[in-house]
Amino acid sequence: MADTKTRPTRGGRAARIAARTNPPPVYLNTLHSKIGPIDLLGPEGVEEIHNAAMTILETTGIEFRDPTALADWKRAGADVQDQRVRVGRDMLMELIGSIPNGWAYHGRNAERSTRVGGRDTVFANAYGAPFVYGLDGVRRPSTLQDAQNFFKMAQMSQAMHVPGILPVEPQDVPIPQRHLDLVKSALTLTDKPVMGSVLSETAARDTVEMMRIVHGEDFIEKNVVVAALLNCNTPLVWDETMLQSLRVYAAANQPCLLTPFVLAGASTPASPLGGVALLIAEALAGLAYSQIIRRGCPMVLGVALMGVSMKTGAPMMGSPEPGLMNLLVGQMARHYGVPWRSCTMWTGAKTPDLQAGYDSANTMWSVLLGGCNFVVHSAGFVEGALGVSYSKWVHDAIQLEGYHRFFSGLQSEDLGSILGDIAGIGPGGHFLGTDHTRENPMHMNILQNNDSYEQWEAEGSRNADLVGRDAAQKMLDTYVKPPMPDDVAGALNDFVAKKRAAYAN
Amino acid sequence: MADTKTRPTRGGRAARIAARTNPPPVYLNTLHSKIGPIDLLGPEGVEEIHNAAMTILETTGIEFRDPTALADWKRAGADVQDQRVRVGRDMLMELIGSIPNGWAYHGRNAERSTRVGGRDTVFANAYGAPFVYGLDGVRRPSTLQDAQNFFKMAQMSQAMHVPGILPVEPQDVPIPQRHLDLVKSALTLTDKPVMGSVLSETAARDTVEMMRIVHGEDFIEKNVVVAALLNCNTPLVWDETMLQSLRVYAAANQPCLLTPFVLAGASTPASPLGGVALLIAEALAGLAYSQIIRRGCPMVLGVALMGVSMKTGAPMMGSPEPGLMNLLVGQMARHYGVPWRSCTMWTGAKTPDLQAGYDSANTMWSVLLGGCNFVVHSAGFVEGALGVSYSKWVHDAIQLEGYHRFFSGLQSEDLGSILGDIAGIGPGGHFLGTDHTRENPMHMNILQNNDSYEQWEAEGSRNADLVGRDAAQKMLDTYVKPPMPDDVAGALNDFVAKKRAAYAN
């Protein structure tokens, strides 16, 4: 692991110079959306999906492939046959009712804390890709240094609220030790709210321990400092690995994003309504189980929505049906009063090209119009989520600033004074020199090239891919490591060293 | 001009073979949106913008730089001083009240006719770029053949309802004759609803004459067959060329898209509310004047919305503030009961790259969420609207199909039968083989590459730009010219020949 002690150029004098010559980013608060959410259904439509989900859980039931969960469900009063759990709607809704509607999500720097739920939305980093498209544009297996780079870039990004935990899969670290390096890197390289490892029950336990070291035992007992991403195997299977992690996080009062992984047309019916009824059943079963583990523990209704090509079986990102399903899931999550999570900024494209822009933007609009509270994969994905491009990561992260501005809606303005400008300037004039224009500059995307063709050509005819790679390098060059108290850093190092030694045996 | 007679490969046998081997496109109807429109303002907010617009027209007034219009306004009872026209709100709103809320928009093939207004939206072609990025990707001045190619591609496109009139500027044709070639090409190469030339009063008159030849004099007296795009010089100037064309089209009972051209922060205040108050004043003044020319004539409230870079003064496309303004303009247009027009699918990018995708999609979402009825520049723009890329044109046109699908909302479905599938398949199965999946394939974008990296690499590592260029060539290769009765074609040829000779002198 690239420990801080081995990278002296990042600390001390170099950091102070970087801070002076590159002013720190202006961080954007939690997005509190004023646009939407869009409700596709009337009350009877909501009731129809709800009833369908309840019918699925009452009659077909759902598999919990995990002996502890089956025993827990039986004790709670559900009908358990082999691995199949059937839950009545009264019991289910009573359990769901104890999930909080929203909460503060704490980074170790209080100024980077944010909020999830209601109209509050956070943007979180990419997750789990085995490949990167490097600063040179070349694809290769991802490493721990890549993961650390994306933590640093998340730390420097204005709108990336949550650096995540597994921005790419560090293939150069042995699996049993991977979570130690990732959690330590996330906690030391950023001071924003992070996510938790779900590689194994041990990884989840170690994550929670490290959170206790950094935040203090009392604090995390009452506050959210970590969120973990858990997938349901659609259709209708929760597996042991996921449930083991769920028990660890729920017991520690920390939320999980309980996420049916939907390939619409393959793992669910090719029907927005039917697919959502199924995934809502799955998510609610996981959410209800979390409340058996610990009543009142915060949780997130998750979904990962893709279409599937009827020609090749490949996942399709940015399609209209998953877009409609995002709106439906959002409406159902509001109906249940539970924060919800979706995925965005992804594409099947193998380069950050026109397709990548369309797929990413088209997904993001449906996610934000659905009022999503926890937006995962907010930057960098290409290759159907198997790769993260450094170039696209920066473009996407800067796009987040524009979405933040749009969905924040109208700002309060003194229309009377603006009308005075219009009267003063009159026909044929311009407003470039007014006080109002100077004080209210239009939002600018610093990577957007709006120069003339001739100027663009004179400067090397650089496409967005090249622009993004340079911007990523600059972000890394100007990164400033957030301070951490010596005793905390020491305790974290000791914990990791001890565990690393134990897992090496 | 590349007359039909000089291109024998396009007619007869070749066309029949093409029609057999390439099935004709399935055309998409008018988009009847079920999503949105999003109202940003409450009733008092609408009233505030309305009052501001009225105050601008009553106190500052607006310039009509055209003696006929000034005389018309004076006769109608407005306060006219030099070129400045001030109109009271009662008179203005009484005139606006006679504009129809929507209408059928006829192509010469009744099956290609569409509707504008209310919840009905049409997608129209790009307009006026002096450059193309060719099938080889190289930028050059655009020609008549390019314009004709984009007419053909619009004809072949599923979702491009309106081929327009000036998809690119044919720089190889003398200006006085340009409109003849363009109108004839639009009318013969397509059978969809077209747009009208506004190069001059003569060009407008010739356009209307050619529409009479094709549709019949009686038909166009009562039906919309052509729409013309007219810009207002924001702030607060309507010029003579535009007004001359307006009079020709209005007298013929054909609509104009009366369009303030907004560089927010330069030609309007850098304020969504203030900018919209100004452009609404401008558009309403033009709309009201149209009703002095001919009461009850259909018209469209237009807007072209860009931001302006505070660093370089360059137009910025895809920014959040113009996005918010699209929502505001839509809400105001609904308040006045007038169809509205906006711009989309544009970008400052000089290649069809990631930026181009983001700028285009981000603009389109705000336009469609605003409930825009007449969406201009629906395919192809790059270079800040100075260029049309063949590659991007096809990508954009296919994106329209996805937007059409999304904004058409949920389809009616038999949820009971889908629940039967779920019960039958149960945990761990898949839905690829169900009747429902086969009968309801997910929407597919035929240009979207979702293959594995390895397969994509084996097939040449082609980015979206290359994919789009090939698709454009294929569209042109498989184009089938729609039939036109010989007598109509003859009359059109005679008219053009006579006028061409006259304008050559």
Side-chain angles (χ1 to χ4, degrees):
Chain A
M1 183 194 173
D3 202 321
T4 51
K5 286 175 190 165
T6 68
R7 295 182 292 108
T9 56
R10 282 284 161 255
R13 188 166 163 272
R16 285 193 300 275
I17 291 171
R20 270 200 306 276
T21 50
N22 297 285
V26 179
Y27 290 107
L28 293 170
N29 290 334
T30 308
L31 168 59
H32 187 80
S33 180
K34 301 277 180 61
I35 312 277
I38 289 180
D39 287 332
L40 276 190
L41 303 169
E44 63 300 328
V46 171
E47 207 51 38
E48 190 185 11
I49 290 188
H50 172 69
N51 281 330
M54 295 301 109
T55 302
I56 292 168
L57 291 177
E58 286 171 340
T59 59
T60 301
I62 181 165
E63 285 191 4
F64 280 74
R65 297 183 177 168
D66 171 72
T68 310
L70 292 168
D72 288 341
W73 272 118
K74 199 162 199 169
R75 208 165 33 248
D79 170 20
V80 178
Q81 315 265 350
D82 299 327
Q83 295 186 310
R84 193 75 67 100
V85 177
R86 293 180 177 81
V87 197
R89 62 189 70 199
D90 293 344
M91 176 183 171
L92 194 94
M93 292 315 297
E94 198 272 330
L95 288 164
I96 297 295
S98 57
I99 300 172
N101 193 19
W103 22 272
Y105 185 13
H106 296 275
R108 64 182 175 86
N109 179 346
E111 287 179 28
R112 306 284 169 268
S113 295
T114 181
R115 281 198 61 81
V116 171
R119 285 197 166 252
D120 292 324
T121 296
V122 296
F123 297 122
N125 212 342
Y127 197 100
F131 297 100
V132 292
Y133 293 61
L135 290 162
D136 55 2
V138 176
R139 177 180 185 262
R140 55 177 171 75
S142 44
T143 66
L144 179 61
Q145 196 188 330
D146 293 316
Q148 291 172 332
N149 282 344
F150 291 117
F151 285 137
K152 291 178 183 175
M153 287 157 66
Q155 174 69 12
M156 296 294 284
S157 163
Q158 287 192 23
M160 185 65 76
H161 300 108
V162 179
I165 187 58
L166 189 64
V168 290
E169 192 70 55
Q171 299 204 45
D172 54 341
V173 180
I175 291 179
Q177 306 181 346
R178 224 171 251 184
H179 68 280
L180 296 172
D181 289 335
L182 288 165
V183 177
K184 181 178 161 186
S185 297
L187 284 171
T188 53
L189 298 176
T190 86
D191 59 5
K192 296 180 174 183
V194 302
M195 294 178 70
S197 179
V198 297
L199 267 176
S200 63
E201 186 169 359
T202 304
R205 285 197 193 288
D206 288 347
T207 303
V208 171
E209 278 311 307
M210 292 165 86
M211 297 300 150
R212 290 193 174 117
I213 291 169
V214 167
H215 290 278
E217 191 140 355
D218 291 351
F219 190 82
I220 94 156
E221 179 60 24
K222 298 202 186 77
N223 296 284
V224 174
V225 301
V226 64
L229 199 169
L230 298 171
N231 285 334
C232 172
N233 298 331
T234 300
L236 297 170
V237 178
W238 281 101
D239 77 20
E240 186 169 24
T241 312
M242 294 286 121
L243 294 168
Q244 286 172 335
S245 289
L246 172 59
R247 281 192 289 272
V248 172
Y249 287 106
N253 210 24
Q254 303 300 309
C256 296
L257 321 180
L258 296 166
T259 304
F261 189 87
V262 171
L263 288 159
S267 71
T268 71
S271 146
L273 289 174
V276 169
L278 176 57
L279 76 88
I280 288 291
E282 295 165 340
L284 289 182
L287 291 167
Y289 178 53
S290 76
Q291 300 303 299
I292 294 175
I293 303 165
R294 177 162 176 162
R295 271 290 171 152
C297 174
M299 285 286 146
V300 177
L301 189 159
V303 68
L305 280 167
M306 279 148 281
V308 66
S309 164
M310 292 291 132
K311 267 191 353 207
T312 66
M316 301 192 301
M317 289 156 176
S319 298
E321 294 90 348
L324 292 168
M325 291 170 80
N326 269 315
L327 301 188
L328 291 174
V329 174
Q331 189 169 5
M332 295 310 295
R334 287 188 291 283
H335 175 69
Y336 298 120
V338 180
W340 75 287
R341 167 260 168 152
S342 194
C343 307
T344 189
M345 295 307 213
W346 54 12
T347 176
K350 264 61 69 180
T351 60
D353 63 2
L354 182 69
Q355 175 188 338
Y358 271 122
D359 292 351
S360 299
N362 289 341
T363 305
M364 185 57 127
W365 278 90
S366 73
V367 165
L368 291 176
L369 289 169
C372 184
N373 305 112
F374 202 118
V375 182
V376 179
H377 317 319
S378 298
F381 267 166
V382 289
E383 201 194 329
L386 294 178
V388 168
S389 151
Y390 276 82
S391 171
K392 183 165 180 284
W393 198 100
V394 184
H395 277 284
D396 292 352
I398 284 173
Q399 286 291 327
L400 300 181
E401 300 167 16
Y403 293 124
H404 195 288
R405 174 74 190 83
F406 181 89
F407 281 86
S408 295
L410 296 172
Q411 313 300 304
S412 70
E413 294 194 279
D414 180 359
L415 195 50
S417 136
I418 295 165
L419 285 176
D421 287 344
I422 294 172
I425 286 162
H430 69 78
F431 296 79
L432 285 167
T434 66
D435 289 345
H436 181 273
T437 302
R438 277 196 301 272
E439 288 159 14
N440 296 275
M442 308 296 285
H443 176 90
M444 287 189 58
N445 176 331
I446 57 166
L447 298 190
Q448 204 185 40
N449 188 305
N450 293 307
D451 295 336
S452 69
Y453 182 87
E454 290 71 20
Q455 186 171 350
W456 176 78
E457 198 179 31
E459 291 177 1
S461 303
R462 289 149 47 79
N463 67 15
D465 186 11
L466 296 172
V467 169
R469 284 190 233 158
D470 283 357
Q473 183 65 64
K474 188 177 173 206
M475 245 179 159
L476 292 169
D477 289 344
T478 56
Y479 166 76
V480 179
K481 192 175 177 182
M484 178 180 261
D486 287 345
D487 58 335
V488 175
L492 208 53
N493 279 335
D494 292 347
F495 180 88
V496 169
K498 191 182 73 186
K499 292 287 178 179
R500 190 192 311 278
Y503 302 150
N505 296 328
Chain B
M1 179 194 174
D3 202 322
T4 52
K5 286 176 190 163
T6 67
R7 295 183 292 108
T9 58
R10 283 284 162 255
R13 186 166 165 273
R16 285 192 301 275
I17 291 171
R20 270 200 306 275
T21 51
N22 297 285
V26 179
Y27 289 107
L28 292 171
N29 291 333
T30 309
L31 168 60
H32 187 80
S33 181
K34 301 275 180 62
I35 312 277
I38 288 180
D39 287 330
L40 275 191
L41 303 169
E44 63 299 329
V46 171
E47 207 51 39
E48 190 184 14
I49 290 187
H50 172 68
N51 282 330
M54 296 299 109
T55 302
I56 291 168
L57 291 176
E58 286 172 341
T59 59
T60 301
I62 181 164
E63 285 192 5
F64 279 74
R65 298 184 178 168
D66 171 71
T68 309
L70 292 168
D72 288 341
W73 271 119
K74 198 163 199 167
R75 206 165 34 248
D79 170 20
V80 178
Q81 316 264 352
D82 299 326
Q83 296 186 310
R84 193 75 67 100
V85 177
R86 292 180 178 82
V87 197
R89 61 190 72 199
D90 293 345
M91 175 182 171
L92 195 94
M93 292 315 297
E94 198 272 330
L95 288 164
I96 298 295
S98 57
I99 300 173
N101 192 18
W103 23 272
Y105 185 13
H106 296 275
R108 64 182 176 86
N109 178 348
E111 288 178 27
R112 306 283 168 269
S113 295
T114 181
R115 282 198 60 83
V116 171
R119 285 195 166 253
D120 291 324
T121 296
V122 296
F123 297 122
N125 212 342
Y127 197 99
F131 297 99
V132 292
Y133 292 61
L135 290 163
D136 55 1
V138 177
R139 178 182 186 261
R140 56 176 171 73
S142 43
T143 65
L144 180 60
Q145 195 188 331
D146 293 315
Q148 291 173 332
N149 282 343
F150 291 117
F151 285 137
K152 292 177 182 176
M153 286 156 66
Q155 174 68 13
M156 297 293 284
S157 162
Q158 287 192 24
M160 185 65 77
H161 301 106
V162 179
I165 187 59
L166 188 65
V168 290
E169 193 70 56
Q171 299 206 44
D172 54 341
V173 180
I175 290 179
Q177 305 180 347
R178 223 171 254 185
H179 68 281
L180 296 172
D181 289 335
L182 288 165
V183 177
K184 181 178 160 184
S185 298
L187 284 171
T188 54
L189 298 176
T190 86
D191 58 5
K192 296 180 174 183
V194 302
M195 293 178 69
S197 179
V198 297
L199 267 176
S200 65
E201 187 171 359
T202 303
R205 286 197 194 288
D206 288 348
T207 303
V208 171
E209 278 310 309
M210 293 166 84
M211 297 299 151
R212 290 194 174 115
I213 291 169
V214 167
H215 290 277
E217 191 140 354
D218 291 352
F219 190 82
I220 96 157
E221 179 59 25
K222 298 202 185 78
N223 295 285
V224 173
V225 300
V226 64
L229 198 169
L230 298 171
N231 284 335
C232 171
N233 299 330
T234 300
L236 296 170
V237 178
W238 282 101
D239 77 20
E240 187 169 25
T241 312
M242 295 286 121
L243 294 168
Q244 286 172 335
S245 289
L246 172 59
R247 281 192 289 274
V248 173
Y249 286 106
N253 210 24
Q254 302 301 309
C256 295
L257 321 181
L258 296 166
T259 304
F261 190 86
V262 170
L263 287 160
S267 71
T268 71
S271 145
L273 288 174
V276 169
L278 176 58
L279 76 87
I280 288 291
E282 296 165 339
L284 289 182
L287 291 167
Y289 178 53
S290 76
Q291 301 302 299
I292 294 175
I293 303 165
R294 177 162 176 162
R295 271 289 172 153
C297 174
M299 284 287 146
V300 177
L301 189 159
V303 68
L305 280 168
M306 280 148 279
V308 67
S309 164
M310 292 291 131
K311 267 192 351 207
T312 65
M316 302 193 301
M317 290 155 175
S319 297
E321 294 91 348
L324 292 168
M325 293 169 80
N326 269 315
L327 300 188
L328 292 174
V329 174
Q331 190 169 5
M332 295 309 295
R334 287 188 290 283
H335 175 69
Y336 298 119
V338 180
W340 75 287
R341 168 260 167 152
S342 193
C343 307
T344 189
M345 295 306 212
W346 55 11
T347 177
K350 264 62 69 181
T351 59
D353 63 3
L354 182 69
Q355 176 188 338
Y358 270 121
D359 293 352
S360 299
N362 290 340
T363 305
M364 185 56 127
W365 278 90
S366 73
V367 165
L368 291 176
L369 289 169
C372 183
N373 305 111
F374 202 120
V375 182
V376 179
H377 316 320
S378 298
F381 267 166
V382 289
E383 199 192 330
L386 294 178
V388 168
S389 150
Y390 276 82
S391 171
K392 182 165 179 285
W393 197 102
V394 184
H395 277 285
D396 292 352
I398 285 174
Q399 286 291 327
L400 300 181
E401 301 167 17
Y403 293 124
H404 194 288
R405 175 74 191 82
F406 181 88
F407 281 86
S408 295
L410 297 172
Q411 313 299 304
S412 72
E413 296 194 279
D414 179 359
L415 194 50
S417 135
I418 296 166
L419 285 177
D421 288 344
I422 294 172
I425 286 162
H430 70 78
F431 295 79
L432 285 167
T434 67
D435 289 345
H436 180 274
T437 303
R438 277 196 302 271
E439 288 158 15
N440 296 275
M442 307 296 285
H443 177 90
M444 287 189 58
N445 176 330
I446 57 166
L447 299 190
Q448 204 185 41
N449 189 306
N450 293 308
D451 294 337
S452 70
Y453 181 86
E454 290 71 20
Q455 185 172 350
W456 175 79
E457 197 178 33
E459 291 177 1
S461 303
R462 289 148 47 80
N463 67 14
D465 186 11
L466 296 173
V467 169
R469 284 190 233 158
D470 282 357
Q473 183 65 63
K474 189 178 173 204
M475 246 179 160
L476 292 169
D477 289 345
T478 56
Y479 166 77
V480 179
K481 193 174 176 183
M484 176 178 263
D486 286 346
D487 58 334
V488 175
L492 208 54
N493 277 336
D494 291 348
F495 180 88
V496 169
K498 191 182 73 185
K499 291 289 181 181
R500 189 193 310 279
Y503 302 151
N505 295 329

